[in-house]
Amino acid sequence: MATWAISEGAEKQCPQCGSIYVVKHHQVPVKDDDSADCEVCGIELERWKSTRYPVYTLKERGQWPKHNDMP
Ligand SMILES: [Zn+2]
């Protein structure tokens, strides 16, 4: 199943470590310029500049660091 749809309570998977987040959107009265980083591996998951911003809640921790694809 695709998990990239942006809607209330959608799940999103980190492209780097595979952790699964539940994404909910909040509305604020002023524009917010911020970003959300993966709690597990630190990659930037999303960056926004709007009055609507995502809140990422870690649901399933991915395996990080990976052991099988070191350079
Ligand atoms: Zn990650």
Side-chain angles (χ1 to χ4, degrees):
M1 289 294 284
T3 53
W4 291 95
I6 303 298
S7 61
E8 288 298 320
E11 290 186 1
K12 189 164 179 173
Q13 186 171 31
C14 173
Q16 185 163 252
C17 70
S19 294
I20 297 171
Y21 289 85
V22 173
V23 187
K24 290 188 175 177
H25 288 87
H26 285 207
Q27 191 87 36
V28 287
V30 288
K31 272 196 178 177
D32 186 31
D33 185 1
D34 207 351
S35 63
D37 297 335
C38 178
E39 289 176 35
V40 180
C41 70
I43 198 177
E44 186 178 285
L45 294 169
E46 192 169 347
R47 176 169 286 276
W48 62 89
K49 193 172 187 178
S50 77
T51 56
R52 193 163 179 265
Y53 69 94
V55 177
Y56 283 77
T57 305
L58 186 61
K59 183 186 175 190
E60 201 175 310
R61 202 177 185 89
Q63 187 188 47
W64 191 261
K66 288 184 188 282
H67 303 295
N68 57 357
D69 63 4
M70 295 295 277

